[in-house]
Amino acid sequence: MKQALTFSVMLLLVVQVAFAEQRKEVLDYIDKYKDIALTEMVRSKIPASIILAQGIHESNCGKSPLSTKANNHFGIKCKDEWDGKKFYMSDDSPNECFRVYEQAEASYADHSDFLLTRPRYAGLFQLPITDYKAWANGLKSSGYATNPKYAQ
Protein backbone atom coordinates (compact mmCIF):
# COMPACT_ATOMS: atom_id res chain seq x y z
CA MET A 1 0.00 0.00 0.00
CA LYS A 2 2.82 2.40 0.92
CA GLN A 3 4.56 1.71 -2.41
CA ALA A 4 1.35 2.41 -4.33
CA LEU A 5 0.87 5.68 -2.45
CA THR A 6 4.48 6.70 -3.07
CA PHE A 7 4.11 5.85 -6.77
CA SER A 8 0.85 7.85 -6.99
CA VAL A 9 2.45 10.91 -5.37
CA MET A 10 5.48 10.68 -7.66
CA LEU A 11 3.24 10.31 -10.71
CA LEU A 12 1.23 13.35 -9.64
CA LEU A 13 4.45 15.38 -9.27
CA VAL A 14 5.64 14.31 -12.73
CA VAL A 15 2.30 15.34 -14.26
CA GLN A 16 2.38 18.70 -12.45
CA VAL A 17 5.92 19.39 -13.69
CA ALA A 18 4.90 18.49 -17.25
CA PHE A 19 1.88 20.80 -17.11
CA ALA A 20 4.00 23.58 -15.60
CA GLU A 21 6.50 23.28 -18.46
CA GLN A 22 3.72 23.28 -21.05
CA ARG A 23 2.16 26.34 -19.39
CA LYS A 24 5.54 28.11 -19.49
CA GLU A 25 5.88 27.37 -23.23
CA VAL A 26 2.41 28.82 -23.85
CA LEU A 27 3.13 31.93 -21.78
CA ASP A 28 6.49 32.40 -23.51
CA TYR A 29 4.80 32.14 -26.92
CA ILE A 30 2.17 34.70 -25.91
CA ASP A 31 4.83 37.05 -24.60
CA LYS A 32 6.85 36.74 -27.80
CA TYR A 33 3.97 37.25 -30.28
CA LYS A 34 1.35 39.30 -28.42
CA ASP A 35 2.36 42.60 -30.02
CA ILE A 36 2.06 41.13 -33.51
CA ALA A 37 -1.34 39.64 -32.62
CA LEU A 38 -2.55 42.99 -31.27
CA THR A 39 -1.37 44.78 -34.40
CA GLU A 40 -3.23 42.23 -36.53
CA MET A 41 -6.35 42.60 -34.38
CA VAL A 42 -6.43 46.34 -35.00
CA ARG A 43 -5.79 45.86 -38.72
CA SER A 44 -8.07 42.91 -39.41
CA LYS A 45 -10.65 42.88 -36.57
CA ILE A 46 -9.72 39.29 -35.69
CA PRO A 47 -9.47 38.89 -31.91
CA ALA A 48 -5.85 38.76 -30.71
CA SER A 49 -6.85 35.93 -28.40
CA ILE A 50 -7.97 33.85 -31.40
CA ILE A 51 -4.85 34.72 -33.38
CA LEU A 52 -2.61 33.68 -30.49
CA ALA A 53 -4.64 30.56 -29.70
CA GLN A 54 -4.41 29.43 -33.32
CA GLY A 55 -0.68 30.19 -33.40
CA ILE A 56 -0.11 28.26 -30.17
CA HIS A 57 -2.13 25.30 -31.38
CA GLU A 58 -0.98 25.18 -35.00
CA SER A 59 2.73 25.75 -34.25
CA ASN A 60 3.01 23.85 -30.97
CA CYS A 61 4.09 27.07 -29.25
CA GLY A 62 6.48 27.86 -32.09
CA LYS A 63 8.28 24.53 -31.85
CA SER A 64 6.77 22.65 -34.82
CA PRO A 65 8.97 21.96 -37.85
CA LEU A 66 6.66 24.15 -39.95
CA SER A 67 7.15 27.14 -37.66
CA THR A 68 10.87 26.62 -37.07
CA LYS A 69 11.79 25.88 -40.69
CA ALA A 70 9.20 27.95 -42.58
CA ASN A 71 8.06 30.63 -40.06
CA ASN A 72 4.54 29.31 -40.77
CA HIS A 73 2.68 29.52 -37.45
CA PHE A 74 -0.78 28.72 -38.82
CA GLY A 75 -0.30 25.77 -41.15
CA ILE A 76 -1.31 27.76 -44.21
CA LYS A 77 -0.87 25.68 -47.33
CA CYS A 78 0.39 27.00 -50.65
CA LYS A 79 -2.86 27.02 -52.66
CA ASP A 80 -2.80 28.00 -56.33
CA GLU A 81 -2.15 31.72 -55.81
CA TRP A 82 1.01 31.28 -53.69
CA ASP A 83 4.18 32.21 -55.59
CA GLY A 84 6.55 32.45 -52.63
CA LYS A 85 8.93 29.92 -51.14
CA LYS A 86 7.53 26.50 -50.36
CA PHE A 87 8.04 23.88 -47.65
CA TYR A 88 6.89 20.30 -48.15
CA MET A 89 5.79 17.93 -45.40
CA SER A 90 3.09 15.35 -44.79
CA ASP A 91 -0.04 16.58 -43.04
CA ASP A 92 -3.53 15.51 -44.11
CA SER A 93 -1.89 14.02 -47.20
CA PRO A 94 1.69 13.07 -47.98
CA ASN A 95 4.14 15.76 -49.12
CA GLU A 96 1.83 18.78 -48.91
CA CYS A 97 2.97 22.27 -49.86
CA PHE A 98 3.09 24.93 -47.15
CA ARG A 99 3.91 28.61 -47.39
CA VAL A 100 7.31 29.85 -46.20
CA TYR A 101 7.67 33.28 -44.60
CA GLU A 102 10.85 35.26 -44.01
CA GLN A 103 9.59 36.37 -40.58
CA ALA A 104 6.85 35.33 -38.17
CA GLU A 105 5.18 38.73 -38.67
CA ALA A 106 4.54 37.85 -42.30
CA SER A 107 2.92 34.59 -41.23
CA TYR A 108 0.62 36.47 -38.85
CA ALA A 109 -0.33 39.04 -41.50
CA ASP A 110 -0.98 36.33 -44.09
CA HIS A 111 -3.15 34.44 -41.60
CA SER A 112 -5.27 37.57 -41.14
CA ASP A 113 -5.43 38.16 -44.89
CA PHE A 114 -6.31 34.51 -45.43
CA LEU A 115 -9.35 34.83 -43.16
CA LEU A 116 -10.27 38.25 -44.52
CA THR A 117 -10.28 37.20 -48.18
CA ARG A 118 -11.92 33.76 -48.07
CA PRO A 119 -15.72 33.97 -48.45
CA ARG A 120 -16.28 31.02 -46.13
CA TYR A 121 -14.91 33.05 -43.22
CA ALA A 122 -16.95 36.21 -43.95
CA GLY A 123 -19.49 35.40 -41.24
CA LEU A 124 -16.78 35.55 -38.59
CA PHE A 125 -16.45 39.28 -39.12
CA GLN A 126 -20.07 39.76 -38.06
CA LEU A 127 -19.19 38.39 -34.61
CA PRO A 128 -18.16 40.67 -31.75
CA ILE A 129 -14.38 40.98 -31.54
CA THR A 130 -14.74 40.30 -27.81
CA ASP A 131 -16.48 36.92 -28.23
CA TYR A 132 -13.58 34.52 -28.58
CA LYS A 133 -15.82 31.47 -28.04
CA ALA A 134 -18.02 32.43 -31.00
CA TRP A 135 -14.91 33.01 -33.11
CA ALA A 136 -13.44 29.61 -32.13
CA ASN A 137 -16.71 27.84 -32.94
CA GLY A 138 -17.09 29.89 -36.12
CA LEU A 139 -13.64 28.89 -37.32
CA LYS A 140 -14.45 25.24 -36.73
CA SER A 141 -17.86 25.42 -38.43
CA SER A 142 -16.33 27.33 -41.37
CA GLY A 143 -13.97 24.44 -42.02
CA TYR A 144 -10.70 25.98 -40.84
CA ALA A 145 -9.61 22.70 -39.25
CA THR A 146 -10.61 19.07 -39.54
CA ASN A 147 -10.17 18.21 -35.85
CA PRO A 148 -13.65 17.97 -34.27
CA LYS A 149 -12.29 19.41 -31.01
CA TYR A 150 -10.61 22.40 -32.68
CA ALA A 151 -12.86 25.02 -31.11
CA GLN A 152 -12.11 23.71 -27.64
Side-chain angles (χ1 to χ4, degrees):
M1 180 70 171
K2 187 177 179 182
Q3 286 178 331
L5 183 60
T6 301
F7 176 75
S8 295
V9 169
M10 291 187 65
L11 181 60
L12 179 62
L13 288 172
V14 167
V15 168
Q16 286 179 336
V17 168
F19 280 129
E21 182 58 33
Q22 184 180 25
R23 178 179 157 90
K24 182 181 178 339
E25 289 177 357
V26 169
L27 293 174
D28 288 348
Y29 186 93
I30 291 169
D31 190 50
K32 186 172 184 177
Y33 296 107
K34 68 179 184 269
D35 292 336
I36 300 169
L38 288 168
T39 297
E40 285 305 307
M41 180 177 74
V42 169
R43 183 178 78 84
S44 69
K45 307 300 185 242
I46 300 168
S49 58
I50 288 295
I51 295 168
L52 285 168
Q54 285 191 280
I56 289 164
H57 179 73
E58 297 287 344
S59 76
N60 188 27
C61 296
K63 294 181 180 357
S64 72
L66 189 57
S67 62
T68 59
K69 295 177 181 176
N71 272 320
N72 187 331
H73 288 250
F74 300 95
I76 299 178
K77 296 178 180 166
C78 293
K79 306 290 183 196
D80 292 336
E81 73 275 6
W82 182 251
D83 62 358
K85 292 181 183 177
K86 299 173 182 177
F87 179 78
Y88 292 89
M89 65 177 237
S90 297
D91 188 42
D92 296 327
S93 301
N95 204 31
E96 290 187 280
C97 182
F98 290 86
R99 298 176 182 196
V100 174
Y101 304 97
E102 294 298 321
Q103 302 163 346
E105 292 86 347
S107 175
Y108 274 72
D110 196 36
H111 168 262
S112 297
D113 293 343
F114 186 85
L115 294 179
L116 283 165
T117 60
R118 300 296 193 281
R120 69 179 172 170
Y121 303 118
L124 293 170
F125 296 93
Q126 305 306 310
L127 300 171
I129 198 169
T130 55
D131 192 348
Y132 70 91
K133 288 181 182 181
W135 272 82
N137 287 315
L139 281 165
K140 172 61 186 124
S141 64
S142 297
Y144 187 89
T146 55
N147 184 333
K149 295 184 178 182
Y150 190 81
Q152 296 170 358

